[in-house]
Amino acid sequence: MRTPTGDLSDGPAAGLGRDQPVFGPELGEFEHSERRAAKAEGDGEMKTGTTTVGIKAEDGVVMATDMRASLGGMVSSKDVQKVEEIHPRGALTIAGSVSAAQNLISTLRAETSLYEARRGKDMSMEALSTLTGNLLRSGAFYIVQPILGGVDDEGAHIYSIDALGGTTEEEYTVTGSGSQYALGVLEQEYDDGVTIDEAKTIAAKAIQSAVERDLASGNGINVAVVTDDGVDITRYKEFDDLL
């Protein structure tokens, strides 16, 4: 075996200091992470602004989003797909930086496909929520706040996942700049055991309420229905089609 001739204390690790954790990286430890975070908060990044809603229903979950993206104070797109299938029986809504969200969705699709190929079965929603939280906690996806919804052998699940990877299972949840308006509707309308059709109507009312008051939300609604049969995503330009 070759014997090291240099002093390891002079290597790249020396600059990290003795207080750095052995098992990294955690949030903020990526090179230039603070600068990347500041840039993501600036006006030069296209963001979804957005209102997204997730509701647990009797036989599945319903997830709904508006369709507007913003660039600073300007509407940069009126036709954004903010809910995507990432699992045979799971979907993810996005709020925040568009590029980071797209990258997160691609990564989750790849990981779930690998899991299925290696184990011969679909990833559970609990495992998928843990994976999503871990990816966000790594600091590689500035700044995204998703809702994860899906169905597995244990039933239907809705997870609220914050931008730092904190994960909470809920009956219903919201994210985005229009959250406060949508949440008030959900508090009034939601009941245990709602059907898929009832959940679609409640979700549409919540998004419509946000669109009326939040400048970063608007231009229609995307609705994803997730059941044992899979993920079905429908786009509506008019709320009247759901109400």
Side-chain angles (χ1 to χ4, degrees):
M1 178 182 294
R2 186 176 177 184
T3 304
T5 57
D7 185 354
L8 293 178
S9 65
D10 294 332
L16 296 177
R18 294 184 180 274
D19 294 332
Q20 294 292 327
V22 176
F23 302 104
E26 293 291 341
L27 180 67
E29 291 182 32
F30 286 93
E31 186 177 6
H32 308 309
S33 60
E34 292 182 1
R35 186 170 65 189
R36 290 166 54 215
K39 183 177 180 181
E41 292 287 352
D43 290 340
E45 175 82 12
M46 187 170 75
K47 298 181 176 63
T48 58
T50 214
T51 305
T52 74
V53 171
I55 300 174
K56 179 180 176 180
E58 194 171 38
D59 300 318
V61 300
V62 172
M63 307 167 76
T65 76
D66 72 301
M67 297 169 63
R68 176 175 294 177
S70 57
L71 185 63
M74 181 182 75
V75 176
S76 59
S77 177
K78 299 179 181 180
D79 192 20
V80 179
Q81 182 72 31
K82 299 183 187 179
V83 57
E84 296 276 3
E85 179 179 341
I86 58 167
H87 178 281
R89 292 183 293 170
L92 192 82
T93 71
I94 61 172
S97 169
V98 172
S99 61
Q102 290 172 339
N103 193 3
L104 176 63
I105 288 169
S106 297
T107 302
L108 288 171
R109 284 174 173 167
E111 290 292 339
T112 54
S113 294
L114 283 171
Y115 184 97
E116 181 179 1
R118 290 168 176 166
R119 305 198 181 196
K121 62 180 181 179
D122 291 339
M123 184 182 289
S124 70
M125 288 301 112
E126 183 179 5
L128 186 54
S129 68
T130 300
L131 172 62
T132 306
N134 288 343
L135 289 172
L136 292 174
R137 196 155 39 246
S138 74
F141 302 93
Y142 289 109
I143 300 284
V144 181
Q145 186 178 6
I147 296 173
L148 172 66
V151 177
D152 59 17
D153 294 340
E154 302 297 321
H157 305 271
I158 284 286
Y159 294 94
S160 174
I161 307 176
D162 65 39
L164 298 180
T167 304
T168 307
E169 185 166 5
E170 305 277 7
E171 298 292 318
Y172 57 86
T173 190
V174 298
T175 64
S177 54
S179 293
Q180 57 187 336
Y181 310 110
L183 190 57
V185 174
L186 294 180
E187 291 281 5
Q188 289 183 333
E189 299 282 342
Y190 182 83
D191 285 312
D192 291 339
V194 295
T195 65
I196 291 290
D197 286 339
E198 290 170 340
K200 287 171 65 176
T201 300
I202 294 169
K205 288 181 179 180
I207 298 294
Q208 184 182 45
S209 178
V211 166
E212 292 291 335
R213 291 289 181 176
D214 177 40
L215 296 178
S217 301
N219 302 110
I221 180 172
N222 293 314
V223 178
V225 176
V226 187
T227 64
D228 274 327
D229 296 328
V231 180
D232 178 59
I233 300 175
T234 308
R235 303 157 70 84
Y236 301 90
K237 280 296 185 180
E238 301 295 336
F239 286 93
D240 290 344
D241 295 335
L242 287 166
L243 299 177

